Amino acid sequence: MNKRKKKSALGTFAVLGFLVYFAYTMVTQQSMINAKNKELASLQQKINSVKSENDELRKKKEMLDTDEYYEKVAREKLGMVKPGEKVFFDINK
């Protein structure tokens, strides 16, 4: 009977050791998964930011080839006016 108790204790110890190892592995894997999920969320946010910036730049690029853009630049940067147009300056600014 002494041998059975030793085998039973050894088996119980082996099962207990396996359960502890399994629990440790599960906890470390879950922490790694959580870290990767945070990284994924951060990268998704960066992707969305870059996509919106890309859309804005695409719109600006399309606007550069329009007559309205050339007129805006001529008026604001070069101070040009259309023939017969009167320009008023706000002296309070």
Side-chain angles (χ1 to χ4, degrees), residues 45 52 55 67:
Q45 186 178 9
S52 66
D55 289 340
D67 291 335

Side-chain angles (χ1 to χ4, degrees), residues 4-84:
R4 275 193 173 185
K5 285 184 181 179
K6 285 183 180 180
K7 284 184 180 181
S8 176
L10 184 61
T12 304
F13 182 72
V15 169
L16 184 63
F18 175 74
L19 290 176
V20 168
Y21 174 74
F22 181 74
Y24 171 76
T25 303
M26 289 295 290
V27 169
T28 55
Q29 290 294 318
Q30 189 61 43
S31 67
M32 288 173 59
I33 288 171
N34 290 341
K36 292 297 179 182
N37 283 338
K38 285 181 184 178
E39 184 180 352
L40 177 64
S42 173
L43 290 174
Q44 285 290 349
Q45 186 178 9
K46 285 181 183 179
I47 287 171
N48 291 337
S49 173
V50 169
K51 280 184 179 180
S52 66
E53 182 182 353
N54 194 16
D55 289 340
E56 289 177 24
L57 289 172
R58 206 174 267 130
K59 287 177 185 176
K60 284 183 180 180
K61 180 183 174 240
E62 290 172 2
M63 191 180 95
L64 287 176
D65 290 332
T66 62
D67 291 335
E68 290 85 16
Y69 176 75
Y70 291 127
E71 183 177 338
K72 180 181 174 184
V73 170
R75 287 178 180 272
E76 292 176 2
K77 305 251 188 221
L78 303 175
M80 300 176 102
V81 295
K82 290 183 178 180

